Amino acid sequence: DTAVSQTPKYLVTQMGNDKSIKCEQNLGHDTMYWYKQDSKKFLKIMFSYNNKELIINETVPNRFSPKSPDKAHLNLHINSLELGDSAVYFCASSPRTHLSGNTIYFGEGSWLTVV
Amino acid sequence: DAKTTQPPSMDCAEGRAANLPCNHSTISGNEYVYWYRQIHSQGPQYIIHGLKNNETNEMASLIITEDRKSSTLILPHATLRDTAVYYCIVRVAPNTDKLIFGTGTRLQVFP
């Protein structure tokens, strides 16, 4: 069973559309994340949720809205897609916050291409 | 925030040990050093982490200098499947979960 799974794996869409990427983890972790990897391969955190509560929100346009219906799910909704949103989006989870040493487990990524 | 510096690329022959260095001269006393890797088209994968002492697990060994300003990840018997980008990361601050990934070291294992 995949520990952190995200869907879809590939998504091609037109500018201006609204799309969602779903993420689920079956590890029983309290914390989930969204990371973005751009064309230059830089991997940057976007959001972090702990038990459905937003704890990290980097400087991300408000077109990006994470939603956590429960602690096992963290979905990413993107409004009015732009060409610059093309990237690989990684969902991740970790067992707990505020304790040094916890590790983060990543999903396989969702390749978003905006045309 | 503690920064890390890694060589952009390294080669290693299959079966040999791969030693990947990382400098983190501004690391603070309670920050951990983490190593992750990203195989092409996959999500990052946790390898190992440490604070002061050397650490070993089934994947690798981590050697941290006594002054903690640098560390080395050792893959004792590199295989072709170890070809990946290896990231050395220092936690941004205690009690947060934010990992900042740099550019990493692209390790190419050749036959």
Side-chain angles (χ1 to χ4, degrees), chain B residues 46-66:
Chain B
Y46 165 80
I47 301 174
I48 199 168
H49 73 277
L51 181 63
K52 295 180 182 178
N53 300 322
N54 298 337
E55 302 287 345
T56 296
N57 63 19
E58 65 278 4
M59 289 183 69
S61 294
L62 175 60
I63 309 297
I64 302 175
T65 57
E66 192 169 341

Side-chain angles (χ1 to χ4, degrees), chain A residues 9 33 35 37 41-43 45 55-56 58 90 94 96-104 106-108 111, chain B residues 30 32 34 36 38 40-46 49 87 91 94-103 106:
Chain A
K9 186 172 178 67
Y33 313 81
Y35 279 78
Q37 189 165 39
K41 304 299 183 184
F42 287 114
L43 193 60
I45 190 168
I55 56 173
I56 294 176
E58 292 297 289
F90 289 99
S94 65
R96 54 194 178 275
T97 62
H98 305 301
L99 287 175
S100 296
N102 60 310
T103 59
I104 297 181
F106 287 83
E108 290 300 302
W111 270 251
Chain B
N30 55 357
Y32 282 70
Y34 287 79
Y36 282 75
Q38 188 173 22
H40 181 62
S41 298
Q42 296 184 20
Q45 176 189 24
Y46 165 80
H49 73 277
Y87 296 98
R91 292 179 70 99
N95 299 329
T96 71
D97 297 284
K98 188 163 68 173
L99 295 179
I100 292 185
F101 290 81
T103 53
R106 180 170 298 278

Side-chain angles (χ1 to χ4, degrees), chain B residues 2-3 23-24 30 34 37 58-59 69 72-73 79 87 100-101 105 109:
Chain B
K3 304 289 185 186
N23 288 320
H24 32 77
N30 55 357
Y34 287 79
R37 73 180 182 183
E58 65 278 4
M59 289 183 69
K69 293 185 177 181
T72 301
L73 177 75
T79 70
Y87 296 98
I100 292 185
F101 290 81
T105 295
V109 181

